[in-house]
Amino acid sequence: MVRPSDNGSRRDAYNLSRHRVSDVLEGKAEVDDVLCGTDPFLIVPDMKWDPSGPISSLYLLAIVCGPTIRSLRDLRGGSDSYVGLLEEIRHQAYGVVKVQ
């Protein structure tokens, strides 16, 4: 059961996440942490990753720069197929991991 205090803290965490993503996309925060930056997306390490730890603990985040994709639900087929974008993200992510 979700208590009102839990709901407020989840909302605060959600707003903080949205703010962080906006700052990263605008180049205001974590500029040095961007592992790959292209026009359609950025690849950054998960903020919980410890760079001094093993590479096997690395999780990457791909953040799409445009407003068309806000969540996985937006990746449905149809006239706007995002298969090419997803393949490019995968290709770039593999390249980043090989370099690391």
Side-chain angles (χ1 to χ4, degrees), residues 13-73:
Y14 174 75
N15 287 334
L16 180 62
S17 295
R18 284 184 47 200
H19 183 68
R20 175 183 177 244
V21 168
S22 296
D23 285 349
V24 171
L25 288 174
E26 293 171 5
K28 296 179 183 177
E30 303 181 36
V31 176
D32 296 336
D33 293 337
V34 174
L35 300 174
C36 175
T38 66
D39 286 336
F41 61 89
L42 299 175
I43 296 178
V44 296
D46 184 69
M47 60 191 257
K48 298 174 190 168
W49 180 60
D50 179 14
S52 64
I55 193 73
S56 61
S57 67
L58 174 64
Y59 287 89
L60 298 176
L61 300 175
I63 304 172
V64 178
C65 297
T68 58
I69 301 175
R70 295 173 295 163
S71 72
L72 289 175
R73 292 179 182 157

